[in-house]
Amino acid sequence: MKTLDARPNNLPVQLTSFIGREKEMKFIKEELKKNRLLTLTGTGGAGKTRFALQTAADVIDEFENGVWFVDLSALKDIALLSSTMITALGIKEESNKTSDETLIDYLKEKEILIILDNCEQLINACALLTERILSSCPKLKMISTSRESMNCGGEFTYRIPPLTQPDPNQNNTPEELTQYESVRLFIERALSVNPNFRVTNENAPALAEVCSRLDGIPLAIELAAARIKMLSIEKIYERLDDRFNLLTGGKRTALPRQQTLRALIDWSYDLLSENEKILWSRLSVFNGGWTLEAAEEVCSDETIDKNDILDLLSQLTEKSVIIYDDSKDRYRILESLKQYGIEKLSERNEIFILHLNYFLKLSEKAKPELRGENTKFWMHIIEADHNNFISAIEWSVNNENKEKGAVISNKLGSFWSRTGQYSTGIRLIEIILESSGSLSKLLKGDMLNWIGNFRISLGDNEQAKKYLEESLDLNKEIGDKRGIAESMLRLGNVTNSLGDFELAKNYYEESQDNYKKIGSKSGIAATTLSLGNIALNQGDYGLAKKYNEESLFIFKEIGHKYGIAISINNLGDVALFLGDYELAKKYMEEGLDLLKEIGDKTGMAFSINFLGNIALNQGDYEQAKKYFEESLVIFKEIGRKDGIALSILSQGMVLFNQGYSEQAKKYYEESLDIYKEIGSKNGIAESIKNVGNVAYSQGDYQQAKKYYKESLDMYKEIGSKNGIADSINNQGNVAFGKRDFGQAKNITKKAWLFLKKLLTKMELLTP
């Protein structure tokens, strides 16, 4: 900071440090060189005044006649505007001149910077006087602060951004949290009232939540920090839903509106027109922002015409009540302003019903689009409004509209599945199922089907089976062939995951029969795809290829992008098992590109893992390791246990091939534990076989034989022909290692004959 007595000024001495905003400060100082009027806008408490004062202090040397601060916060009468400026600048009134003339004559030749603070309540008068002063005083520059811009000639408007905030979901350490401006401000202000305050691993998550939920607004954070004198940071976080009673500990010397959060927002609210106030309260029903179309449908009635919504949104944006993001073409509101608006909402029930109905219609429109050419577009739409869908469902359950919430949850099932948000889907469906009130059997059957599907993805196969069997019974009771087909398809999936391939095959075939009866091409394609998975698991590669080509043809015919991607990936799986790595890579990369386009995290993670397998088979261990690590990150993010186990097992294979057998064993054992937890027999067999490989490589042939026998028995149980062949071959290796060449020859011959049967249809593998 410059030495303030180097130039004339009346800048108030700041008793606390200025934290953060270095980039913004640099930008504003550059703009001040190019512009004569800078208006700093932003919501109440954003730190506009402090930012202006810091800027002025930093550039004071550039103004020969100094920098001057004019506080308009207490001024109500526009007739006193000029005289207030005269008083602040220390100018003597002249009896033969008006206040405007005295002010302009004094400033005419001055090289001076004036801060005009808190212009919002006199915005028109401030704009007129500012434009007149700037026109008459060529060396003068001004910085104004206001909730809205003055809209006068030569004005450069800059919205003060909130302080940077941590993502509460990131689990930052105390050290990592200090990189965020809002956290640094909280810590400094907390220490001023409680010198014993410390950020620890235990309270760091609560601190991140507080700074995030207060939207990085400096005054709100300072008010929260003041409570550290009496409350822990965890208690402050717990009370944020009642923030207007919590955040009341402002300095006695501060302006009344800066002493409590409510008073601060009251100031903004009281400056609005009646329709602006009404719209503010109605917009508070949205969660996570909204589009213009949503506001027009939800917030209009006989009081506010639909055609007036756009203008009112613009006015509220100008006045820093809401924020418009032009890159997303969406509006949002800070959480404190949202809570305030909800309190002011008089027709609460009606608005929430309109909100529920809007997102019900949007979910119904989205469902078929998630399968077609516009999948990517609609995935983005649902993602953008995901919080609105969730709040609509939750409100429906608590306000006797659970049927509508149930419809929304069923329509969003494929979105939750593809984005890996299984726990979200389970939570919302469960609160609907557990709530009081009636629910149609058709809706309940669909919900049980979805919850079963999500349980499969999370590795909770026994629970999944229970839900799916209940769904099947309900659908049979009401004779819903589509529901029966879907329940059987999912029951096929759960039995496939458990390694019961024959039973899974029966479910898929029966599901397909029902889909054929109702003429569902997407259902026929899905079951054909699933039958291809069974054929692949059983080592019948020619049949697997045939099924996947059939499903790909149908999915392309109906424009089902997700189905196209999975069919292509499965053809890559076949090529990988048959050793055509280049073709496998071509298929996998093509499928992965499609899955990325539609945002399917589950499919992406499996594709990346299989690309790792291709690299592993080609001896590119470093590349394989990168793929496996990348897939593991995604699987962990979405909580997909079978994928986590697969990626860990795959990483073990890389280590084993690099000669690190003991480290590899730890990975194999970790994957084995997960596979046992979820009951995946195929995964258990794979992990045991690989533990056997470690024992064999270390010369422990007896232990290796035991593991290979155990894996062989499990492969036989589930009918995995390639697994059987591999385990038989490994037993031959053990015999060879023990120098029992006769037994080795017999076992190897047996393995070869078995493999020969499997590979007779290799000629079917064509690009």
Side-chain angles (χ1 to χ4, degrees):
M1 184 185 289
K2 307 292 183 182
T3 304
L4 292 182
D5 57 8
R7 298 286 191 194
N9 73 90
N10 70 336
L11 298 182
V13 176
Q14 301 303 307
L15 302 178
T16 56
S17 59
F18 183 81
I19 292 176
R21 290 176 167 166
E22 292 85 2
K23 183 175 71 173
E24 292 87 351
M25 185 68 66
K26 182 180 179 182
F27 174 76
I28 282 300
K29 285 190 278 193
E30 286 299 315
E31 290 302 321
L32 191 57
K33 292 176 183 177
K34 299 181 284 186
N35 299 277
R36 295 183 58 214
L37 171 62
L38 283 178
T39 296
L40 304 178
T41 67
T43 190
K48 300 181 291 294
T49 300
R50 189 64 189 274
F51 191 93
L53 289 170
Q54 188 67 35
T55 303
D58 284 357
V59 301
I60 192 168
D61 284 349
E62 298 173 23
F63 295 92
E64 183 180 344
N65 301 109
V67 296
W68 300 87
F69 179 71
V70 182
D71 183 4
L72 304 178
S73 59
L75 187 62
K76 303 294 183 186
D77 188 350
I78 60 174
L80 300 176
L81 180 58
S82 298
S83 58
T84 300
M85 291 184 69
I86 286 171
T87 301
L89 291 163
I91 304 170
K92 291 183 180 179
E93 293 268 14
E94 297 182 36
S95 58
N96 59 337
K97 294 180 181 178
T98 65
S99 296
D100 284 12
E101 290 169 341
T102 300
L103 181 63
I104 290 170
D105 285 348
Y106 174 80
L107 295 172
K108 191 165 289 185
E109 298 302 324
K110 296 288 191 301
E111 191 178 57
I112 194 170
L113 173 66
I114 296 174
I115 299 173
L116 209 56
D117 191 46
N118 288 296
C119 299
E120 54 263 16
Q121 79 273 27
L122 303 168
I123 194 70
N124 292 328
C126 286
L128 292 170
L129 182 58
T130 296
E131 196 165 83
R132 186 177 175 193
I133 291 172
L134 290 171
S135 300
S136 305
C137 310
K139 297 179 182 180
L140 178 141
K141 293 192 175 187
M142 295 181 72
I143 297 176
S144 68
T145 73
S146 176
R147 306 287 169 92
E148 60 181 308
S149 62
M150 288 198 267
N151 288 329
C152 58
E155 180 184 29
F156 179 86
T157 303
Y158 181 73
R159 183 182 179 88
I160 298 289
L163 297 175
T164 57
Q165 314 134 56
D167 180 348
N169 300 315
Q170 290 300 312
N171 296 321
N172 290 294
T173 64
E175 293 74 22
E176 290 169 338
L177 282 180
T178 57
Q179 69 182 296
Y180 299 100
E181 296 166 343
S182 56
V183 172
R184 295 203 301 274
L185 177 64
F186 186 99
I187 292 171
E188 180 172 296
R189 301 302 191 257
L191 287 170
S192 70
V193 298
N194 182 0
N196 296 319
F197 173 71
R198 295 291 182 273
V199 183
T200 65
N201 289 326
E202 288 69 34
N203 66 18
L207 178 56
E209 287 279 5
V210 168
C211 292
S212 174
R213 288 193 60 193
L214 292 177
D215 302 299
I217 300 303
L219 181 61
I221 289 168
E222 289 181 337
L223 290 170
R227 286 299 189 188
I228 283 294
K229 190 188 303 184
M230 302 295 294
L231 297 172
S232 68
I233 185 67
E234 291 90 345
K235 289 293 183 184
I236 292 172
Y237 166 58
E238 288 171 10
R239 293 167 180 252
L240 279 183
D241 285 339
D242 189 25
R243 64 185 61 193
F244 296 119
N245 287 323
L246 173 69
L247 304 181
T248 58
K251 303 291 185 185
R252 289 192 183 93
T253 53
L255 290 169
R257 72 169 185 270
Q258 294 176 341
Q259 292 180 10
T260 73
L261 184 62
R262 184 184 298 280
L264 176 74
I265 302 175
D266 281 341
W267 171 264
S268 295
Y269 186 78
D270 291 340
L271 292 173
L272 301 179
S273 69
E274 195 57 37
N275 276 359
E276 288 170 342
K277 291 176 182 178
I278 293 171
L279 184 58
W280 174 352
S281 63
R282 291 179 181 178
L283 293 171
S284 299
V285 302
F286 290 105
N287 235 340
W290 63 89
T291 60
L292 170 61
E293 293 75 19
E296 288 174 335
E297 292 300 320
V298 174
C299 301
S300 60
D301 63 0
E302 64 278 358
T303 304
I304 298 181
D305 190 88
K306 183 177 180 178
N307 295 320
D308 295 333
I309 295 288
L310 177 58
D311 287 339
L312 287 168
L313 286 172
S314 299
Q315 290 160 25
L316 289 175
T317 303
E318 282 291 317
K319 294 174 181 179
S320 303
V321 175
I322 62 176
I323 300 163
Y324 175 66
D325 185 340
D326 57 355
S327 66
K328 298 177 180 177
D329 196 19
R330 288 178 65 82
Y331 298 86
R332 63 186 177 89
I333 188 168
L334 301 182
E335 187 173 344
S336 295
L337 301 186
K338 172 182 166 63
Q339 286 194 20
Y340 184 93
I342 287 289
E343 285 189 3
K344 298 286 186 180
L345 187 58
S346 56
E347 65 278 72
R348 181 173 299 195
N349 204 53
E350 295 86 344
I351 297 300
F352 273 101
I353 288 174
L354 288 169
H355 178 271
L356 172 63
N357 289 339
Y358 178 81
F359 287 101
L360 172 64
K361 289 177 184 174
L362 190 60
S363 70
E364 290 173 330
K365 189 175 180 182
K367 173 76 184 291
E369 297 289 351
L370 291 176
R371 297 193 296 264
E373 288 296 320
N374 296 320
T375 297
K376 181 180 179 181
F377 175 76
W378 279 93
M379 288 288 283
H380 284 317
I381 285 179
I382 297 174
E383 183 65 52
D385 271 314
H386 192 211
N387 287 331
N388 279 310
F389 284 113
I390 291 173
S391 64
I393 292 169
E394 291 174 337
W395 189 87
S396 75
V397 170
N398 295 320
N399 292 272
E400 300 177 355
N401 270 283
K402 63 184 283 185
E403 286 253 342
K404 291 182 178 179
V407 173
I408 296 174
S409 71
N410 287 334
K411 302 299 182 186
L412 293 188
S414 56
F415 170 80
W416 288 326
S417 181
R418 292 184 195 176
T419 55
Q421 299 186 64
Y422 315 122
S423 297
T424 298
I426 289 170
R427 180 182 71 82
L428 292 169
I429 291 173
E430 282 183 343
I431 65 170
I432 297 170
L433 292 174
E434 292 167 4
S435 62
S436 59
S438 61
L439 198 63
S440 75
K441 290 180 179 179
L442 183 66
L443 282 174
K444 188 176 180 181
D446 280 348
M447 285 193 293
L448 291 168
N449 199 314
W450 276 117
I451 205 169
N453 185 49
F454 301 143
R455 290 285 181 192
I456 296 171
S457 298
L458 289 173
D460 191 354
N461 291 313
E462 289 305 321
Q463 276 293 310
K465 194 175 178 185
K466 171 180 163 290
Y467 281 112
L468 293 169
E469 286 172 346
E470 189 179 348
S471 170
L472 181 59
D473 289 343
L474 265 178
N475 288 318
K476 283 181 175 178
E477 183 183 334
I478 61 176
D480 179 19
K481 287 189 174 66
R482 179 197 57 81
I484 293 168
E486 288 185 0
S487 297
M488 286 185 166
L489 175 60
R490 301 276 164 67
L491 279 166
N493 290 342
V494 75
T495 48
N496 185 19
S497 294
L498 290 168
D500 193 340
F501 299 144
E502 282 304 314
L503 181 57
K505 182 180 177 183
N506 291 338
Y507 276 126
Y508 290 146
E509 287 174 343
E510 197 168 345
S511 172
Q512 189 169 78
D513 287 344
N514 279 282
Y515 278 128
K516 285 178 178 177
K517 287 174 184 175
I518 61 175
S520 171
K521 287 188 175 181
S522 62
I524 294 167
T527 47
T528 303
L529 186 77
S530 298
L531 287 166
N533 288 334
I534 295 297
L536 184 66
N537 287 332
Q538 293 183 320
D540 195 338
Y541 305 123
L543 185 60
K545 180 174 181 289
K546 173 178 172 291
Y547 278 134
N548 283 296
E549 286 176 338
E550 286 178 11
S551 66
L552 178 60
F553 178 82
I554 301 171
F555 282 132
K556 281 184 174 179
E557 183 185 359
I558 62 178
H560 194 307
K561 280 195 174 181
Y562 173 72
I564 292 168
I566 300 302
S567 298
I568 290 170
N569 270 10
N570 285 2
L571 286 169
D573 287 351
V574 174
L576 174 61
F577 276 106
L578 289 173
D580 192 337
Y581 303 132
E582 289 306 315
L583 180 59
K585 187 176 180 182
K586 170 184 171 293
Y587 279 133
M588 283 296 173
E589 288 177 341
E590 185 181 347
L592 180 58
D593 286 343
L594 268 175
L595 290 164
K596 283 181 177 178
E597 181 187 328
I598 64 178
D600 186 285
K601 289 186 178 180
T602 304
M604 286 162 54
F606 278 112
S607 297
I608 292 165
N609 186 278
F610 276 108
L611 283 169
N613 277 330
I614 294 167
L616 178 64
N617 280 282
Q618 292 179 317
D620 190 347
Y621 302 133
E622 287 306 313
Q623 185 59 54
K625 183 182 176 186
K626 288 177 184 175
Y627 279 131
F628 294 144
E629 287 174 345
E630 187 179 350
S631 67
L632 182 59
V633 168
I634 302 173
F635 282 132
K636 283 184 173 179
E637 179 190 337
I638 62 180
R640 181 100 190 199
K641 287 185 181 178
D642 58 343
I644 292 170
L646 176 63
S647 296
I648 291 170
L649 179 69
S650 302
Q651 287 179 322
M653 290 178 182
V654 172
L655 288 166
F656 182 77
N657 279 278
Q658 290 178 317
Y660 303 113
S661 58
E662 206 51 46
Q663 292 96 315
K665 185 180 178 183
K666 291 178 182 176
Y667 280 89
Y668 294 152
E669 288 174 341
E670 187 179 350
S671 69
L672 178 60
D673 288 341
I674 300 172
Y675 279 130
K676 283 181 175 177
E677 179 190 342
I678 63 178
S680 172
K681 291 180 182 178
N682 194 55
I684 292 168
E686 280 290 306
S687 298
I688 291 172
K689 180 187 71 179
N690 279 286
V691 174
N693 289 341
V694 171
Y696 177 79
S697 72
Q698 294 175 337
D700 190 346
Y701 301 129
Q702 198 60 37
Q703 193 66 19
K705 182 180 179 182
K706 171 181 169 292
Y707 285 126
Y708 291 146
K709 173 71 167 59
E710 192 176 343
S711 65
L712 176 60
D713 289 344
M714 193 160 284
Y715 283 131
K716 285 180 176 178
E717 180 186 341
I718 62 178
S720 174
K721 293 175 185 176
N722 50 318
I724 293 168
D726 204 15
S727 293
I728 293 172
N729 190 58
N730 286 337
Q731 286 183 326
N733 290 337
V734 169
F736 187 83
K738 293 170 70 176
R739 310 188 69 77
D740 188 345
F741 300 122
Q743 186 184 18
K745 181 180 178 183
N746 290 334
I747 293 174
T748 303
K749 184 178 180 182
K750 182 179 178 183
W752 166 243
L753 290 172
F754 194 90
L755 281 168
K756 190 177 180 183
K757 289 180 182 178
L758 289 180
L759 301 176
T760 50
K761 297 182 181 180
M762 277 185 67
E763 70 276 8
L764 291 175
L765 185 70
T766 54

